[in-house]
Each structure stands twice: as C-alpha cells, then as structure tokens.
Amino acid sequence: MDILISGASVAGPALALWLNRYGHRTTIVERAPALREGGYSVDFRGDAHMSVLRKMGVLPDIERAQTHMGSMWNVNEAGKKLVAMPADLFAGDVEILRGDLARILHDATSSHTEYVFGDSIASIAQDADGVTVTFERGPERRFDLVVGADGLHSTVRALAFGPEREHTSYLGLYCAVFTTDNYLGLDYTGHAYSTPGKMVSLYSARRNTEAKAVFWFGSPPLDYDRHDLDRQRELLAEAYEGVGWEAPELLRRMRHAEDFYFDSISQVRLDSWSRGRVVLVGDAACCASPLSGMGTGLAVVSAYVLAGELAAAGGDHRAAFAAYEREVRGYAAGCQESAVGVSKWMVPESRLMAWFMNQNYKLLPYLPWKGLMAKSVRKTASAISLKDYGVTRPAGPAPRRRPSDRAS
Ligand SMILES: Cc1cc2nc3c(=O)[nH]c(=O)nc-3n(C[C@H](O)[C@H](O)[C@H](O)COP(=O)(O)OP(=O)(O)OC[C@H]3O[C@@H](n4cnc5c(N)ncnc54)[C@H](O)[C@@H]3O)c2cc1C
C-alpha cells in the first residue's frame, strides 16, 4: 500500500519503520522545514517499550545517545542547593533527548521513506479505493491510507474527526523548552527553582556541552496562535515577570533560541482512533502529556501494534484498525491516568506545598515507600502484552517514486 503519514517526530517515523518492513511504501509529510530537534528528555521503561525498541533495531543508537543524568537539585533564589531529587526516582531504563530520538528514527527510515518537509495536509477525501489528499504547497496525491502522527494539535484529526476542542482536555499547565549554553557549568545534573505555580530549571545536556532550559507555569487556558513563536515568547516572559534565580537570564537567552518549544499540557481522548482509511497514532490519538512520562513509549508501542495488525489482517484496514484499538486502548488509558494529579506536586501552587515536597525529597531515601513511585510508573509502562507479528528482517530496497509519479 501507499501510506501517507503526517508528522516526523516519534510516532510517524516509528510507524514508517514497521510499515517499510511489511513492504508498504511510506511518505511522511512534516510541517516544519526540517527535523525538529527541540524538547527535553524522554524516557523508555519496562518490557513493552524496550522490546519494541530492540525489535526496531534502534536500541543500540538510543543507548549510545542516552543522557546519563544524575540527581537533580531544587535550589533557592540565590542558587543554593536545597534538596537532591534522586535520579532513580523518575528515570526509566533509558533516557534520551527527544531531538536525538527523532534524529535516530529519521535516519533509520530515510532510505525507505519519502520525507516531505515544510508542507501540511490541507484536505482529505476518502472513497472506496483510497484517499485523495491535497497539500498546502505540494500537488494533490492519492494514497491507500492516511495516518495522523502529527501530535497534540493534529491536523489529520481536525480534518477527519472534528475540532480540537472536542477531543483535548487541558491539565492547567504550560511548558516551554529551549537549548542554551551550559553557562552554569552543570555536570550531568540540573537545577530547578520554584515559586508558587511556576518551576524553571536548567539541565546539562549532550555530555555537558549544552543545556536545556525548561519552564512550567500554571495558567487558565491562553488564546494564542500556535505558529506565532514571538507571541509564545512574550507569554512566557509575562508569566515569569519578577521571578528570581536564573529566570531573567534564561528569558534573555530565550529570545535567540532557535529550537524554542512552547505548548499546553493537555490530553487527547477520542471515542475511536480511525475514520475509514484515516487512522491516528501517538499523541494525535491519545496524548497522555509529558506529566505521564509515558508519551514517547506509548507512541512507539502504538506504532508497532498498528503496523503489526495491518500485516496480520492482510491489509484489511477496517479489521486492522479495530484490532489496533482493542490492543492499545486500555494501555493508553492507563498512561493517561498516571498523569492526573502530577502537576500538584511537580509545580506546587503554594509555598507550603513546595516546602512539603522538599521535605519529602529530603526524607525519601529513608522512607519505606522509596522506589514505590518508580515501580508504579514501570507497571503502567509494562501493562500491555505485545503480540509477535512475525517480522524480523529489515526492509529490502524500496523504490522511491517522485511526487509527480503519484499525483492523481
Ligand atoms: C519540538 C517538540 C518538543 C517536545 N518536547 C518534549 C519534551 O521536552 N518532553 C516531553 O515529554 N515531550 C515532548 N514533546 C512531545 C513528545 O515528542 C510526544 O509526546 C511523544 O514523543 C509522542 O510523539 P508524537 O510523534 O506522537 O507527537 P509529537 O512529538 O508532538 O510530534 C508531532 C509532529 O507532527 C508535526 N506536525 C504538526 N502538525 C503538522 C501538520 N499539520 N503537518 C505535518 N506535520 C505536522 C510536528 O511538527 C511534530 O514533528 C515534544 C514534541 C515536539 C514536537
């Protein structure tokens, strides 16, 4: 089949890798002009995540690029270390910068997948034999299936399932991330400073050669253009006006950061993940939010199941999409559930709560429930039995056709 995937982050390339192995032809359209390298780290944990990465053949590359971060520190306004948050409290089996992961998945698929950057699907029209797709820039084309792997604000979902507001729920926080110099000289560690409803942190990255600034703030829903990065920079600066520690310096650096990323912390819930020949995967289908620590693992597991069920159903997309949902829906619901309530302790709304959390971190090494949190996250991440869909060898050479060959 000719399969179009919208979104070149994690879910899209992970799905393309499997579809290529099953002999399908894949095209990925990505709105950004090039691969997006931004974001902070993401974790994989437990048997389900790790076994899929192993089968994909990308685990050695991911392990080579892992962050190796140690304990993080909560600091006061003067930068004095208050309490260490032990690395094993949150860490998965392997942690990697999201941008490094996206690069690895892109490189693992680029010889068999046609990548089209700087474009977006504009319309989708299905009939009995296929889907006619128009693009904002490129010529109209025809595909057998269309997959939305275009994230929380999925265009495919909006076109095939209706407006975003009907399918997303906002969890009360915004997050911003960008890369800057490791000007505090952090050594495989991070420093975080909190004031009520806000947390700003700086983490060393890529073997201490650079650093990631990460901002969180609680807010009612904000009305802004998601493609207007200058407005998003203003919103962050407004939210952090008067906040101490390194916040003013980081806001100054934010103005020049090329990979500035800003988004709401939200979840996606849909009654169904497919409409005819259109199907969703990753955050577009079931975003659990970064608070779950599960979104990236969920994306690669879902991609594995979706491609596997398509193969198992011999290309009968109706049967395959129904089976894909049966396999993944309960698992995704568990991942989403794990994010509920996390914002209250991660970004405390009052000084009292922040003090309480610091005492908790201080005492944690001596408390009997040490490790319970990590165990519970691992349990959620492993709560799916994956079928063996029977493909073990990498895809053979697939001729790539020029866009003009396929324009209908
Ligand atoms: C730049 C960036 C930074 C991130 N940083 C973090 C982080 O620090 N921590 C964390 O936990 N999660 C982060 N995430 C989210 C994380 O990547 C996902 O939760 C998870 O990996 C699932 O990935 P996904 O591929 O389903 O969706 P996403 O990673 O959101 O990817 C969606 C992709 O679709 C593209 N896209 C959007 N609209 C269109 C369109 N109309 N046409 C074509 N392409 C489109 C986007 O540019 C993006 O590349 C980030 C995502 C992005 C895009």
Side-chain angles (χ1 to χ4, degrees):
M1 289 194 277
D2 265 328
I3 301 180
L4 174 65
I5 299 169
S6 174
S9 175
V10 175
L15 179 68
L17 185 145
W18 286 110
L19 294 175
N20 292 343
R21 284 194 193 173
Y22 290 116
H24 303 295
R25 261 190 307 267
T26 50
T27 300
I28 295 188
V29 58
E30 163 63 49
R31 187 193 280 283
L35 203 64
R36 296 177 71 181
E37 306 269 3
Y40 184 48
S41 56
V42 293
D43 288 281
F44 293 103
R45 45 168 71 81
D47 289 346
H49 295 180
M50 298 305 280
S51 71
V52 169
L53 295 178
R54 216 169 277 122
K55 286 181 195 195
M56 289 168 77
V58 294
L59 189 55
D61 288 336
I62 291 176
E63 283 174 340
R64 262 193 296 281
Q66 64 185 303
T67 60
H68 291 297
M69 289 297 274
S71 299
M72 309 290 173
W73 289 89
N74 277 353
V75 297
N76 68 11
E77 186 158 359
K80 183 172 177 262
K81 292 174 180 172
L82 296 177
V83 59
M85 288 174 287
D88 58 1
L89 191 63
F90 307 103
D93 293 325
V94 60
E95 184 184 71
I96 182 171
L97 293 180
R98 192 211 69 94
D100 290 347
L101 175 66
R103 170 64 59 195
I104 288 170
L105 295 176
H106 168 270
D107 291 353
T109 49
S110 57
S111 58
H112 289 77
T113 295
E114 177 198 3
Y115 276 86
V116 180
F117 286 99
D119 207 347
S120 168
I121 295 176
S123 73
I124 295 170
Q126 305 190 42
D127 55 50
D129 304 321
V131 192
T132 301
V133 179
T134 64
F135 296 88
E136 285 178 3
R137 290 168 167 230
E140 180 180 299
R141 292 170 66 174
R142 192 137 167 99
F143 296 90
D144 295 296
L145 301 175
V146 174
V147 185
D150 42 4
L152 173 60
H153 309 289
S154 167
T155 294
V156 172
R157 191 183 61 227
L159 291 171
F161 296 74
E164 180 170 316
R165 62 177 181 279
E166 291 175 9
H167 306 120
T168 52
S169 52
Y170 170 58
L171 299 185
L173 283 178
Y174 284 84
C175 177
V177 185
F178 61 87
T179 304
T180 186
D181 302 333
N182 182 8
Y183 72 99
L184 292 183
L186 299 168
D187 186 14
Y188 290 92
T189 189
H191 289 181
Y193 171 66
S194 300
T195 62
K198 299 180 179 68
M199 183 172 73
V200 48
S201 41
L202 191 69
Y203 304 94
S204 66
R206 296 197 173 109
R207 300 178 199 280
N208 298 336
T209 58
E210 58 184 41
K212 296 279 181 180
V214 182
F215 291 74
W216 301 85
F217 64 94
S219 160
L222 298 169
D223 191 16
Y224 64 95
D225 175 353
R226 276 189 302 99
H227 303 297
D228 184 349
L229 289 185
D230 286 339
R231 177 67 192 129
Q232 292 165 32
R233 287 186 169 100
E234 270 172 31
L235 287 170
L236 184 64
E238 283 164 20
Y240 271 80
E241 211 180 309
V243 174
W245 185 59
E246 295 295 324
E249 174 62 19
L250 291 173
L251 290 175
R252 197 183 62 72
R253 289 164 178 261
M254 163 195 78
R255 303 274 169 203
H256 314 288
E258 283 177 11
D259 63 351
F260 178 74
Y261 166 76
F262 180 94
D263 210 343
S264 70
I265 302 301
S266 305
Q267 294 192 329
V268 172
R269 287 169 209 264
L270 289 157
D271 294 338
S272 162
W273 294 343
S274 66
R275 289 274 190 281
R277 292 175 174 272
V278 179
V279 66
L280 303 174
V281 68
D283 279 4
C286 53
C287 178
S289 89
L291 299 181
S292 73
M294 220 63 85
T296 305
L298 178 56
V300 297
V301 165
S302 306
Y304 169 78
V305 176
L306 175 54
E309 291 297 343
L310 258 175
D316 175 350
H317 65 274
R318 279 185 203 83
F321 294 169
Y324 154 61
E325 269 196 50
R326 267 199 312 277
E327 294 296 316
V328 180
R329 195 170 261 283
Y331 179 59
C335 295
Q336 292 189 320
E337 193 54 38
S338 69
V340 175
V342 169
S343 62
K344 285 201 169 42
W345 59 261
M346 213 181 92
V347 188
E349 282 166 10
S350 66
R351 285 188 199 285
L352 184 67
M353 184 64 178
W355 177 86
F356 175 79
M357 286 314 300
N358 277 346
Q359 300 313 305
N360 190 50
Y361 291 131
K362 257 184 212 162
L363 294 173
L364 205 63
Y366 314 103
L367 294 175
W369 56 85
K370 178 183 185 256
L372 213 89
M373 220 159 85
K375 258 190 213 144
S376 127
V377 181
R378 178 175 290 274
K379 198 170 153 199
T380 307
S382 305
I384 184 167
S385 321
L386 294 172
K387 292 186 201 165
D388 186 353
Y389 295 101
V391 172
T392 50
R393 70 192 153 74
R400 271 200 278 162
R401 294 191 286 166
R402 286 167 296 136
S404 53
D405 294 339
R406 256 182 279 178
S408 58

